Amino acid sequence: MCLFGVFLALFQLLYAQSDSTTFRGRFENKEFNIYMCINFYDKNIQIPGQEYYGDLPGYLGKVNNPFCWVFVDVNLKSEKEAKLTIVNDYGSEDLTATLLRQNDSVYLLRQDAGSAIKIPRDRKWFKLPKNIEFRRAK
């Protein structure tokens, strides 16, 4: 009976550490009309209309616009933190960033070093703030 309890505790510990939904899904920021599609586990996200990039960990896109920032590399630091290498879809600008899980539905993208993320807005380039909050899409 005691041995069964040890196996059960070990199973729960392993299951809790391998939550494969934390960094998977679609996340939105309505203020800037942007979103992220990510799957940091299988790294099998394709950008619609830009499939030539192949399978990726994810991307940041703008609603009703083909422009995007491509997540080319990801390093999962913990269940609440991932380090990202991001380039624009032209490959001319890059940066490192951290994606932090605040709770089940709120994530914070923090630009750490390199270029600033810029998106098209009103026919001009708009620089996003260093910290952007995203919410899991429903």
Side-chain angles (χ1 to χ4, degrees), residues 33-134:
N33 213 18
I34 57 176
Y35 63 93
M36 290 187 303
C37 287
I38 62 172
N39 184 340
F40 293 171
Y41 308 102
D42 301 325
K43 301 177 184 172
N44 61 355
I45 300 293
Q46 290 198 356
I47 302 169
Q50 299 181 41
E51 290 82 6
Y52 48 83
Y53 285 119
D55 290 342
L56 299 162
Y59 66 96
L60 183 148
K62 178 143 175 41
V63 175
N64 298 324
N65 193 302
F67 180 80
C68 66
W69 285 82
V70 181
F71 300 167
V72 293
D73 190 37
V74 63
N75 183 3
L76 294 174
K77 295 292 187 179
S78 72
E79 199 172 305
K80 293 188 175 196
E81 179 180 354
K83 296 286 187 179
L84 309 171
T85 302
I86 305 172
V87 298
N88 67 358
D89 57 356
Y90 296 110
S92 60
E93 297 183 73
D94 65 340
L95 68 131
T96 57
T98 304
L99 185 61
L100 299 164
R101 177 181 174 214
Q102 305 292 305
N103 60 44
D104 286 343
S105 62
V106 178
Y107 289 67
L108 179 71
L109 180 66
R110 181 182 70 212
Q111 299 176 51
D112 297 329
S115 302
I117 295 178
K118 292 175 240 152
I119 59 170
R121 188 175 188 181
D122 299 327
R123 293 181 287 207
K124 296 180 185 177
W125 289 111
F126 177 77
K127 188 187 300 185
L128 292 174
K130 292 279 186 193
N131 296 300
I132 308 164
E133 188 175 278
F134 287 86

Side-chain angles (χ1 to χ4, degrees), residues 4-14:
F4 176 75
V6 171
F7 283 122
L8 183 60
L10 184 59
F11 176 78
Q12 288 176 339
L13 180 64
L14 290 173

